[in-house]
Amino acid sequence: MGGGYSGGKAPPPESPGGAPPPGAPGGQPRPGSTNSLAIVSLILGITWLGWIGSILAVVLGHVSLSQIKKTGQSGKGMAIAGLVLGYIGILTGALVLIFLVALANNVTEEKQARVVLEADGSGGAAQANITYSFGQDIAQDNGQSLPWRKADSREVGALDVLQVDVQNQGERGSVTCRISVDGEVVASNTSTGAFAIATCSSTGP
């Protein structure tokens, strides 16, 4: 009998050149499969993940497009979507950062301003206890004749609170408080009755 294979089943065919068949471990990705980096790029672009995700979405999107071009895999649309979302996230994060920096500078910046605190009475209100602040220490003038006025030019920041409280010391009439900054009235209030209190407050310019 001639020498041949016996054993019932024929051996599996080998790929040309002895290489593993497509899709086997160690082989190239199947042309019809979806590129995994494109999927990750899209997910990161959607979730944003505190700006870091957007940066990674852009990086992985470019890498996946390069891989897709070489391997013929699908997923190009997802990679492009991940890139677009990533760039939008980066731009949004940059705008938010710029806004926060500008806000912080505005809050801490102090401006020279002329602040005028006033108290007045009508209808028989002639005296008042007055508590006031130019944004720092609180002061008090008791038993003051109305009208009353305090003015000062100083450095005032956005966190400084300007305030004046006027308490009527009579049993009738109305008391009025008023705050002006650089000639513009920023707060005004009137209260009527015995021992009534009018309160005015405003932040710095």
Side-chain angles (χ1 to χ4, degrees), residues 1-13:
M1 296 179 64
Y5 176 79
S6 61
K9 293 184 179 180

Side-chain angles (χ1 to χ4, degrees), residues 126-130 140-148 150 169:
Q127 285 191 330
N129 292 338
I130 301 169
Q140 191 170 22
D141 288 347
N142 291 326
Q144 294 295 305
S145 298
L146 300 176
W148 170 95
K150 288 279 186 181
Q169 289 302 290

Side-chain angles (χ1 to χ4, degrees), residues 32-34 36 49 91 103 115 149 160 162 165 172-173 189:
S33 63
T34 302
S36 59
L49 296 177
L91 178 60
L103 180 63
V115 181
R149 185 175 187 270
D160 291 326
L162 311 172
D165 299 332
R172 60 192 179 94
N189 190 25

Side-chain angles (χ1 to χ4, degrees), residues 53-86:
S54 297
I55 297 174
L56 292 176
V58 170
V59 173
L60 295 180
H62 282 295
V63 173
S64 64
L65 285 177
S66 177
Q67 291 182 353
I68 290 170
K69 185 177 181 181
K70 294 177 181 179
T71 63
Q73 291 177 287
S74 62
K76 183 177 180 180
M78 288 189 289
I80 293 175
L83 277 173
V84 172
L85 292 173

Side-chain angles (χ1 to χ4, degrees), residues 15-43:
S15 299
Q28 295 295 324
R30 293 180 183 273
S33 63
T34 302
N35 185 272
S36 59
L37 292 184
I39 299 173
V40 175
S41 174
L42 179 60
I43 293 173

Side-chain angles (χ1 to χ4, degrees), residues 107-196:
V107 168
T108 57
E109 181 183 5
E110 292 187 343
K111 299 179 181 179
Q112 185 72 24
R114 179 166 178 77
V115 181
V116 179
L117 308 179
E118 296 177 276
D120 204 352
S122 62
Q127 285 191 330
N129 292 338
I130 301 169
T131 303
Y132 62 95
S133 169
F134 282 98
Q136 297 179 353
D137 296 333
I138 297 176
Q140 191 170 22
D141 288 347
N142 291 326
Q144 294 295 305
S145 298
L146 300 176
W148 170 95
R149 185 175 187 270
K150 288 279 186 181
D152 195 6
S153 294
R154 60 173 62 208
E155 294 284 337
V156 181
L159 297 180
D160 291 326
V161 178
L162 311 172
Q163 184 166 337
V164 56
D165 299 332
V166 185
Q167 182 180 24
N168 186 5
Q169 289 302 290
E171 296 185 357
R172 60 192 179 94
S174 300
V175 289
T176 299
C177 61
R178 188 178 301 106
I179 301 175
S180 301
V181 178
D182 291 333
E184 179 183 355
V185 177
V186 296
S188 180
N189 190 25
T190 298
S191 186
T192 302
F195 305 104

